[in-house]
Amino acid sequence: MAEEKGTNRWTVLAGALIVQIVLGTVYAFSVFVKPLEMEFDWSRTTTQWAFSFALVSFAIIMIPAGRLQDRIGPRKVASIGGVLLGVSFILGSLLIEESRPWAFYLTYGIIGGAGIGFAYVCPIAAAVKWFPDKKGLVTGLSVAGFGAGALFFAGPASALLLPPGNGAEAMGMSQILFAAFGISHASGFGIGWKSFFVLHGITSAVLVILGASLLRNPPDGWQPPGRQTGKAQNTPEADTEWKEMLNTPLACMLWLTFIFGATSGLMAIGQWKPLMGTILNGKTFAPAWMGSFGRFVEPVGILAIFNALGRIFWGKVSDFIDRPRAMMIMFLAQGMAFMLLVNVESHLAIFFASALVGLNFGGNFALFPSATADYFGTKNLGMNYGWIFTAYGVAGILGPVVGGVLYDASQQYILAFVFSGILCFVAAGCSVVVWGLARAQSQAAPQPQAIAAPQALERVSELNDRMSVPAPGLGGYPIG
């Protein structure tokens, strides 16, 4: 846990971004769906289970990973995550076959999700400890890469996942590199899903380990230069163990608020692409001259960009107005956005709807770890936030499933989005309760000044007693 001298805290933040960008490619799962369905004739339900397994494994593994991170530091734990993520794709290329969909669930779902769970919490915990003066902003920055990872990954991955060509049609190394960086298209041929799994597995492992090498914890009691320390933040009383945290109403309400907010977002985002395709009648936002970069101005691309920006924006806002107020405003804005979606038709309205939904959904991942650090300290943040984050695992199952059921029942998207809006309003109400509980906890906590005052009075009394003792040779004391 000790930190090497001379470490620049912005270097730690850079490592956090590298790790999170790679982990964020999990949200581009849809690029694997068609190649596997075409080759194995799998149903959509069969492929979607892998994504659900990945989200659940991700959320569950964060608990022991967070505890391990608190004990041995972020570098080793994040590196374990990188190795697991790489192994999951390499094993998948060897094991996945038409008769073995379980191999897809095991490799991509359970092992890959575990890799993400091990690595995800480390950048957040390390960054918050280095930036106690900017918890919200730095949490948003460190997880912004997770929101943007899918955006950078989806386009190149879609090109490389195309079936490989034969002979002269096969892609050369330079073509693979150009396609991987999104510089050019794959000209109708790729490298196939098996080769792509190997390439992506190796690349993911290398980049996560590289980013992890920059992650370090500061020395105990470290404070940034010039920071006021009189408020005694993160004192031993503020650093709460996970068992004690789970027994507080505040932690339970944070968990419920996260479930309502994340479920509403995942319910809508899971159907964003088909909804926008229906509204646009198959048309595109992007002009032809943009080529492969046109994905950045499509509705899904806009949502992904603002998903990343929302983590930074709401993190910074919460540093000024506190976490519960930021949550309440964010969920109210998200709820109104979902309600307005039922009448969206123009391109401009689609752009603003995509931006607003992405901005507010991304804020969840900056506000909840920051709130956990505020209310329960940074010493055990890895473990504590691991427990709070299980709410996202619950939402990862409820959101897509409930959204799918509502669509199947009505063959329309309106019910899913209205229900998402209602959940956001419920989350906003829960945020008010969080604010009240946090205020009560703050008032109940012992104030450092109140504790120090009796000690200071005792010291002053002791000094007065000493001063009242007659000096030698005076007041009857003999000299010599």
Side-chain angles (χ1 to χ4, degrees):
M1 297 286 293
E3 176 56 25
E4 298 172 9
K5 294 182 178 180
T7 297
N8 188 323
R9 60 179 181 165
W10 295 100
T11 303
V12 175
L13 188 58
L17 279 170
I18 294 171
V19 171
Q20 294 284 15
I21 287 173
V22 177
L23 301 182
T25 60
V26 68
Y27 283 139
F29 170 79
S30 59
V31 301
F32 302 128
V33 172
K34 284 189 176 180
L36 294 175
E37 288 179 352
M38 289 175 62
E39 179 157 344
F40 300 137
D41 196 28
W42 285 349
S43 68
R44 183 60 52 90
T45 302
T46 300
T47 55
Q48 289 300 310
W49 272 111
F51 187 53
S52 293
F53 275 119
L55 290 180
V56 172
S57 178
F58 169 22
I60 292 175
I61 293 298
M62 264 191 66
I63 298 173
R67 181 164 189 165
L68 191 62
Q69 191 278 153
D70 292 334
R71 289 184 174 181
I72 67 174
R75 193 189 313 180
K76 294 179 181 178
V77 178
S79 297
I80 292 172
V83 171
L84 286 174
L85 185 60
V87 167
S88 71
F89 280 96
I90 295 172
L91 278 179
S93 69
L94 300 173
L95 297 179
I96 297 174
E97 292 183 3
E98 181 177 0
S99 61
R100 294 199 297 235
W102 59 264
F104 190 29
Y105 308 153
L106 173 65
T107 55
Y108 180 91
I110 296 175
I111 300 176
I116 297 171
F118 267 100
Y120 179 81
V121 71
C122 299
I124 298 173
V128 167
K129 291 173 183 177
W130 277 105
F131 292 85
D133 50 335
K134 300 180 179 69
K135 287 193 188 82
L137 174 62
V138 78
T139 302
L141 285 169
S142 64
V143 298
F146 197 87
L151 179 65
F152 296 110
F153 174 77
S158 297
L160 291 172
L161 281 164
L162 292 170
N166 296 318
E169 296 175 337
M171 294 184 71
M173 183 59 67
S174 60
Q175 291 175 297
I176 293 174
L177 290 175
F178 283 140
F181 286 104
I183 299 173
S184 67
H185 288 292
S187 303
F189 295 98
I191 60 175
W193 71 267
K194 286 192 174 183
S195 297
F196 179 81
F197 270 36
V198 174
L199 175 63
H200 183 57
I202 295 172
T203 304
S204 297
V206 170
L207 289 178
V208 171
I209 293 172
L210 174 64
S213 68
L214 301 177
L215 300 180
R216 291 164 172 77
N217 280 329
D220 291 339
W222 183 88
Q223 294 290 339
R227 189 188 183 213
Q228 298 292 330
T229 58
K231 295 184 179 180
Q233 297 186 15
N234 297 324
T235 59
E237 291 80 10
D239 288 317
T240 308
E241 293 286 343
W242 68 272
K243 291 182 181 179
E244 183 181 350
M245 181 194 75
L246 293 180
N247 286 326
T248 64
L250 179 55
C252 295
M253 188 52 63
L254 270 179
W255 190 75
L256 286 174
T257 307
F258 201 173
I259 286 180
F260 289 128
T263 298
S264 66
L266 290 171
M267 187 185 305
I269 289 172
Q271 302 186 65
W272 200 258
K273 188 171 183 178
L275 169 67
M276 292 303 160
T278 301
I279 295 175
L280 294 171
N281 293 319
K283 297 179 182 178
T284 178
F285 271 6
W289 58 265
M290 291 192 70
S292 62
F293 293 99
R295 67 185 185 277
F296 291 103
V297 296
E298 295 293 352
V300 174
I302 294 167
L303 188 146
I305 291 172
F306 279 86
N307 182 4
L309 294 177
R311 301 166 189 234
I312 303 171
F313 173 76
W314 285 112
K316 183 64 175 176
V317 168
S318 72
D319 282 338
F320 285 108
I321 66 174
D322 79 29
R323 319 302 174 200
R325 286 190 180 94
M327 289 179 191
M328 181 186 67
I329 296 170
M330 181 183 74
F331 289 132
L332 287 174
Q334 187 77 313
M336 289 186 286
F338 285 144
M339 294 301 182
L340 293 173
L341 274 171
V342 299
N343 293 318
V344 166
E345 292 182 0
S346 69
H347 284 200
L348 184 62
I350 291 171
F351 177 89
F352 280 112
S354 299
L356 189 58
V357 170
L359 186 80
N360 293 322
F361 181 71
N364 286 287
F365 305 99
L367 297 184
F368 284 94
S370 302
T372 305
D374 285 343
Y375 304 143
F376 306 108
T378 60
K379 181 180 179 181
N380 305 303
L381 178 60
M383 183 70 167
N384 290 345
Y385 183 56
W387 280 104
I388 298 296
F389 195 78
T390 58
Y392 188 67
V394 175
I397 297 175
L398 291 179
V401 171
V402 174
V405 169
L406 291 174
Y407 177 78
D408 289 339
S410 63
Q411 293 300 305
Q412 292 181 341
Y413 296 103
I414 183 172
L415 279 181
F417 284 94
V418 169
F419 191 62
S420 295
I422 293 172
L423 287 178
C424 283
F425 294 142
V426 173
C430 291
S431 301
V432 177
V433 179
V434 168
W435 177 79
L437 292 172
R439 186 177 181 183
Q441 176 177 287
S442 176
Q443 292 175 346
Q447 299 298 320
Q449 293 85 351
I451 295 173
Q455 297 172 344
L457 290 174
E458 183 180 351
R459 179 63 175 165
V460 170
S461 177
E462 181 182 348
L463 290 173
N464 287 335
D465 291 341
R466 290 182 179 179
M467 293 176 64
S468 66
V469 176
L474 299 174
Y477 284 85
I479 299 176

